[in-house]
Amino acid sequence: MNFTDMLLDAERQNRSLLCVGLDPDPARFPHHMRNDPDRIYEFCAAIVDATADLAIAFKPQIAYFAAHRAEDQLERLMAHIRVAAPHVPVILDAKRGDIGSTAEQYAKEAFERYGADAVTLSPFMGFDSVQPYLRYPGKGVFLLCRTSNPGGDDFQNQRLADVPGQPKLYEHIARLAQGPWNVSGQVGLVVGATYPAEIARVRELAPTVPLLIPGVGAQGGDAQATVQAGWRGGAGGTTAAVAVNSSRAILYAGAGADFAQAARQEAERTRETLWRARLFD
Amino acid sequence: MNFTDMLLDAERQNRSLLCVGLDPDPARFPHHMRNDPDRIYEFCAAIVDATADLAIAFKPQIAYFAAHRAEDQLERLMAHIRVAAPHVPVILDAKRGDIGSTAEQYAKEAFERYGADAVTLSPFMGFDSVQPYLRYPGKGVFLLCRTSNPGGDDFQNQRLADVPGQPKLYEHIARLAQGPWNVSGQVGLVVGATYPAEIARVRELAPTVPLLIPGVGAQGGDAQATVQAGWRGGAGGTTAAVAVNSSRAILYAGAGADFAQAARQEAERTRETLWRARLFD
C-alpha cells in the first residue's frame, strides 16, 4: 500500500486527522521518569499505545533522539509502532536536504534503518535532492512549503520575479509538488497552521497532495480553520488528506504516573475537534 | 578560539585551503575492509592521521554514519580528530534546518554530543532556525547559499521580486550572512565550486565570511578558479577564508592496504594546487 492510501486508510479506521508528534524531551517527562534519556522509548511507546486508535499518523522528530544518543530507542520505537498500531503510518520528521549519494544515505536511514513510511524534507537544494527518496516505491516525502515560525517569511514568502504570475516561493513549491515533481504520487507538503489562508492557497495550488500541518496545540494554530482550509472530502470519501500535528500538548498533558491516560484524553479531544471541523458548509 | 580564527590558524599552520571530507562508504573501502560498516571509524581515522598536517578542516558527512547505524563510530572519530589534529577544526556536514526547540536539539547533537566546531545548515526556514546554534559561543554555522547540483537552480537562482535590486535568492542569503544574520561573526556560507563566477559574486556580497566550497575533486570543479574567486588575503594575512572540500577523490584514491598513503598523496597534490592558486595577480 502506498503512503497516501495508508494515510486515508488510517483516517477512515481511526476517524481521525490527528497526527501525534513524538518529540520526547526528558526534561518534561512525568516526575517518575524525568531527565532520564534512557526512558525515551518507554515514554514514547506508552504514548503510542494510548493513542493507537486515535491517530492518522505518528511523527517522531529525530532531533530529540539524536541529541540524547537514542537512535537505538528510535529503532525500537519504530518496531513497536508496527505492532501496536500496524494501520497507522509513520512520518519521520527529519527535514533532510542533500544531494546524490548523500541523499541516498539519508533515504536509507529513513526507510531502511528506521522503516518510516514517509520523511519530511527541505526542498532548498532542488528536485535532485528529492529524487533519491522517490526511488522507494510506496514511500512518501513531505516537502517544507510554508512554515509558521517568524523566519518562515524570510524566504518562503518572497515573490519570484521570473516565474509567470510572480508567485511566492511557497506557492511555487506547492505547484511543483502537485505537478512536475510528483511523478509517482509520493509527494506531500508541510504547511504551518498559523495562517489558514495560506493553507487554503496551498490547497488551491495542490488540490490532491497530502498536507502535514504542524502548529496546532502548543504552537497555537486554530484547529478548525486549519481543517476547513486543507481537508477535501465528501460522500465519495476523502480526496485530499490532511494530518494535523500536535506534539507537546499531548505528550505533556499529564506529569504523573497516569501521563499516558492524560495524553489519551488530550488526543481524543483534539481528534474530536479536528474531525468535526470536516462538517462545515 | 572562535571558529573563524581556528580556520585561519589551520590555514597558516598547514599551509592549506583543503577541507578533507569524510564520507565513508563501505562499498568503496579498500579490499581488506570492503562492505564492513564496523570499520568506518578505522577507515576514517586512518585518513585523518594521514592528512592531519594537510587540512584546513575535516568535514564528516553525518548521513554516511547514520545510514550504517554508526553514530558511535562518529563520536569516536570526533574524539580522535581532537587528539590527532588538535589544530584542525571540524565541520559537521548535516544540513539541518528546523526551528525552536527542535533546532536546540540539533545544536546539542552537533556541538555537545559530537563536539563539532561548526555545522552546515539549510536556511530555508529563516533566521530563527539559525539562532539556536549561534548561542554556542565560538561555534560556527555554514548556511547553504548556492549549491552546484542541477537542482540548485530550482530556487537558489530565482530572482526575488520585492527585494531592492531583485537579487537572486542565493545573493540575498549572502547579504544576510554578511550583515543582519551575522550578529556574532559565527556565520559562513556553502557555495558550490562548479561556477566560479558565482563564488566571486558571493564574495563580493559577503567579503569577510568564511566560505565552504564543495565540488572540487569527484564533483569536478576547477580548483584554481575556485580559490581565485573566493580567497582574500595578502601580506597582512588572510582576510576571508575558504575551505575547499574534496571527499571521494581523496578517500578512495587507493584500494589496497596502502589506501591512507594514497589518500595522503592525493591530498598533498590538491593542497598544493589550491595553495598555489592564491598567488595569482
Short mmCIF file of all heavy atoms in Angstrom, two decimals, chain B residues 213-245:
data_model
loop_
_atom_site.label_atom_id
_atom_site.label_comp_id
_atom_site.label_asym_id
_atom_site.label_seq_id
_atom_site.Cartn_x
_atom_site.Cartn_y
_atom_site.Cartn_z
N ILE B 213 33.49 25.36 0.28
CA ILE B 213 33.27 25.17 -1.15
C ILE B 213 33.41 23.70 -1.51
O ILE B 213 34.53 23.19 -1.66
CB ILE B 213 34.27 26.03 -1.96
CG1 ILE B 213 34.17 27.50 -1.51
CG2 ILE B 213 34.01 25.88 -3.45
CD1 ILE B 213 35.06 28.46 -2.28
N PRO B 214 32.29 22.98 -1.62
CA PRO B 214 32.37 21.60 -2.07
C PRO B 214 32.39 21.56 -3.59
O PRO B 214 32.14 22.57 -4.24
CB PRO B 214 31.07 20.99 -1.55
CG PRO B 214 30.13 22.13 -1.38
CD PRO B 214 30.92 23.41 -1.32
N GLY B 215 32.74 20.43 -4.14
CA GLY B 215 32.64 20.28 -5.58
C GLY B 215 33.96 20.16 -6.29
O GLY B 215 34.01 19.97 -7.49
N VAL B 216 35.07 20.27 -5.56
CA VAL B 216 36.36 20.00 -6.19
C VAL B 216 36.64 18.51 -6.05
O VAL B 216 36.21 17.87 -5.11
CB VAL B 216 37.47 20.84 -5.52
CG1 VAL B 216 38.85 20.31 -5.86
CG2 VAL B 216 37.33 22.29 -5.93
N GLY B 217 37.35 17.95 -7.01
CA GLY B 217 37.64 16.52 -6.96
C GLY B 217 36.56 15.76 -7.69
O GLY B 217 36.28 16.05 -8.85
N ALA B 218 35.94 14.80 -7.00
CA ALA B 218 34.97 13.92 -7.66
C ALA B 218 33.86 14.72 -8.35
O ALA B 218 33.34 14.31 -9.38
CB ALA B 218 34.37 12.96 -6.65
N GLN B 219 33.49 15.88 -7.78
CA GLN B 219 32.40 16.65 -8.38
C GLN B 219 32.90 17.56 -9.52
O GLN B 219 32.11 18.23 -10.17
CB GLN B 219 31.65 17.44 -7.31
CG GLN B 219 30.83 16.54 -6.37
CD GLN B 219 30.09 17.32 -5.28
OE1 GLN B 219 29.31 18.22 -5.56
NE2 GLN B 219 30.35 16.97 -4.03
N GLY B 220 34.21 17.67 -9.70
CA GLY B 220 34.74 18.25 -10.93
C GLY B 220 34.92 19.76 -11.01
O GLY B 220 35.16 20.30 -12.08
N GLY B 221 34.81 20.50 -9.92
CA GLY B 221 35.03 21.95 -10.01
C GLY B 221 36.50 22.26 -10.27
O GLY B 221 37.39 21.46 -9.99
N ASP B 222 36.77 23.42 -10.81
CA ASP B 222 38.13 23.82 -11.12
C ASP B 222 38.77 24.45 -9.89
O ASP B 222 38.39 25.52 -9.43
CB ASP B 222 38.10 24.81 -12.28
CG ASP B 222 39.48 25.31 -12.66
OD1 ASP B 222 40.28 25.64 -11.75
OD2 ASP B 222 39.77 25.38 -13.85
N ALA B 223 39.77 23.77 -9.34
CA ALA B 223 40.35 24.17 -8.06
C ALA B 223 40.92 25.59 -8.11
O ALA B 223 40.69 26.41 -7.21
CB ALA B 223 41.44 23.18 -7.66
N GLN B 224 41.63 25.88 -9.16
CA GLN B 224 42.31 27.17 -9.22
C GLN B 224 41.32 28.33 -9.32
O GLN B 224 41.41 29.32 -8.58
CB GLN B 224 43.28 27.18 -10.40
CG GLN B 224 44.18 28.39 -10.37
CD GLN B 224 45.40 28.22 -11.27
OE1 GLN B 224 45.71 27.10 -11.69
NE2 GLN B 224 46.09 29.31 -11.54
N ALA B 225 40.36 28.21 -10.23
CA ALA B 225 39.37 29.28 -10.40
C ALA B 225 38.57 29.49 -9.11
O ALA B 225 38.20 30.61 -8.76
CB ALA B 225 38.43 28.93 -11.55
N THR B 226 38.35 28.39 -8.40
CA THR B 226 37.61 28.44 -7.14
C THR B 226 38.33 29.31 -6.11
O THR B 226 37.73 30.18 -5.48
CB THR B 226 37.45 27.01 -6.61
OG1 THR B 226 36.68 26.27 -7.54
CG2 THR B 226 36.78 27.00 -5.25
N VAL B 227 39.60 29.06 -5.92
CA VAL B 227 40.38 29.82 -4.93
C VAL B 227 40.46 31.29 -5.35
O VAL B 227 40.28 32.20 -4.53
CB VAL B 227 41.79 29.23 -4.79
CG1 VAL B 227 42.65 30.14 -3.92
CG2 VAL B 227 41.70 27.84 -4.17
N GLN B 228 40.69 31.52 -6.61
CA GLN B 228 40.83 32.90 -7.09
C GLN B 228 39.55 33.67 -6.88
O GLN B 228 39.56 34.88 -6.65
CB GLN B 228 41.29 32.91 -8.55
CG GLN B 228 42.68 32.25 -8.67
CD GLN B 228 43.29 32.35 -10.06
OE1 GLN B 228 42.69 32.92 -10.96
NE2 GLN B 228 44.48 31.80 -10.22
N ALA B 229 38.42 32.98 -6.97
CA ALA B 229 37.14 33.67 -6.78
C ALA B 229 36.81 33.92 -5.32
O ALA B 229 36.12 34.89 -4.99
CB ALA B 229 36.03 32.85 -7.42
N GLY B 230 37.30 33.06 -4.43
CA GLY B 230 36.82 33.14 -3.05
C GLY B 230 37.81 33.60 -1.99
O GLY B 230 37.42 34.23 -1.01
N TRP B 231 39.06 33.28 -2.16
CA TRP B 231 40.06 33.56 -1.12
C TRP B 231 40.49 35.03 -1.18
O TRP B 231 40.67 35.60 -2.25
CB TRP B 231 41.28 32.65 -1.31
CG TRP B 231 42.30 32.75 -0.21
CD1 TRP B 231 42.27 32.14 0.99
CD2 TRP B 231 43.51 33.51 -0.25
NE1 TRP B 231 43.38 32.46 1.72
CE2 TRP B 231 44.17 33.31 0.99
CE3 TRP B 231 44.12 34.34 -1.19
CZ2 TRP B 231 45.40 33.89 1.30
CZ3 TRP B 231 45.34 34.94 -0.88
CH2 TRP B 231 45.96 34.72 0.35
N ARG B 232 40.62 35.65 -0.01
CA ARG B 232 41.09 37.03 0.03
C ARG B 232 42.19 37.14 1.08
O ARG B 232 41.96 36.86 2.27
CB ARG B 232 39.95 37.99 0.38
CG ARG B 232 38.90 38.15 -0.70
CD ARG B 232 39.45 38.87 -1.95
NE ARG B 232 38.47 38.89 -3.03
CZ ARG B 232 38.36 37.93 -3.96
NH1 ARG B 232 39.13 36.87 -3.93
NH2 ARG B 232 37.45 38.02 -4.90
N GLY B 233 43.37 37.54 0.64
CA GLY B 233 44.47 37.69 1.59
C GLY B 233 45.61 38.44 0.95
O GLY B 233 45.50 38.92 -0.17
N GLY B 234 46.68 38.52 1.68
CA GLY B 234 47.83 39.24 1.15
C GLY B 234 48.91 39.29 2.21
O GLY B 234 48.98 38.43 3.10
N ALA B 235 49.74 40.32 2.15
CA ALA B 235 50.86 40.42 3.07
C ALA B 235 50.41 40.44 4.52
O ALA B 235 51.05 39.90 5.41
CB ALA B 235 51.69 41.67 2.74
N GLY B 236 49.27 41.07 4.78
CA GLY B 236 48.78 41.19 6.16
C GLY B 236 48.09 39.94 6.66
O GLY B 236 47.59 39.91 7.79
N GLY B 237 48.04 38.91 5.85
CA GLY B 237 47.35 37.68 6.27
C GLY B 237 46.03 37.52 5.53
O GLY B 237 45.62 38.39 4.76
N THR B 238 45.39 36.41 5.79
CA THR B 238 44.12 36.11 5.12
C THR B 238 42.99 36.94 5.73
O THR B 238 42.85 36.99 6.95
CB THR B 238 43.80 34.62 5.25
OG1 THR B 238 44.86 33.87 4.66
CG2 THR B 238 42.49 34.27 4.57
N THR B 239 42.21 37.58 4.89
CA THR B 239 41.08 38.37 5.41
C THR B 239 39.75 37.66 5.22
O THR B 239 38.78 37.99 5.87
CB THR B 239 41.01 39.73 4.70
OG1 THR B 239 40.93 39.50 3.29
CG2 THR B 239 42.24 40.56 5.00
N ALA B 240 39.72 36.69 4.31
CA ALA B 240 38.47 35.94 4.11
C ALA B 240 38.84 34.52 3.73
O ALA B 240 39.43 34.27 2.68
CB ALA B 240 37.63 36.60 3.02
N ALA B 241 38.49 33.59 4.62
CA ALA B 241 38.92 32.21 4.45
C ALA B 241 38.05 31.45 3.46
O ALA B 241 36.87 31.74 3.32
CB ALA B 241 38.89 31.49 5.80
N VAL B 242 38.67 30.50 2.79
CA VAL B 242 37.91 29.50 2.06
C VAL B 242 38.42 28.12 2.48
O VAL B 242 39.62 27.94 2.72
CB VAL B 242 38.02 29.62 0.52
CG1 VAL B 242 37.50 30.96 0.04
CG2 VAL B 242 39.44 29.40 0.04
N ALA B 243 37.49 27.19 2.56
CA ALA B 243 37.84 25.79 2.78
C ALA B 243 37.25 25.03 1.60
O ALA B 243 36.04 24.96 1.44
CB ALA B 243 37.27 25.29 4.10
N VAL B 244 38.14 24.52 0.74
CA VAL B 244 37.70 23.86 -0.48
C VAL B 244 37.67 22.36 -0.23
O VAL B 244 38.70 21.75 0.04
CB VAL B 244 38.65 24.20 -1.65
CG1 VAL B 244 38.14 23.53 -2.93
CG2 VAL B 244 38.77 25.70 -1.84
N ASN B 245 36.48 21.79 -0.32
CA ASN B 245 36.33 20.40 0.09
C ASN B 245 36.59 19.40 -1.03
O ASN B 245 36.14 19.58 -2.16
CB ASN B 245 34.91 20.16 0.60
CG ASN B 245 34.75 18.78 1.21
OD1 ASN B 245 35.25 18.53 2.31
ND2 ASN B 245 34.09 17.87 0.49
#
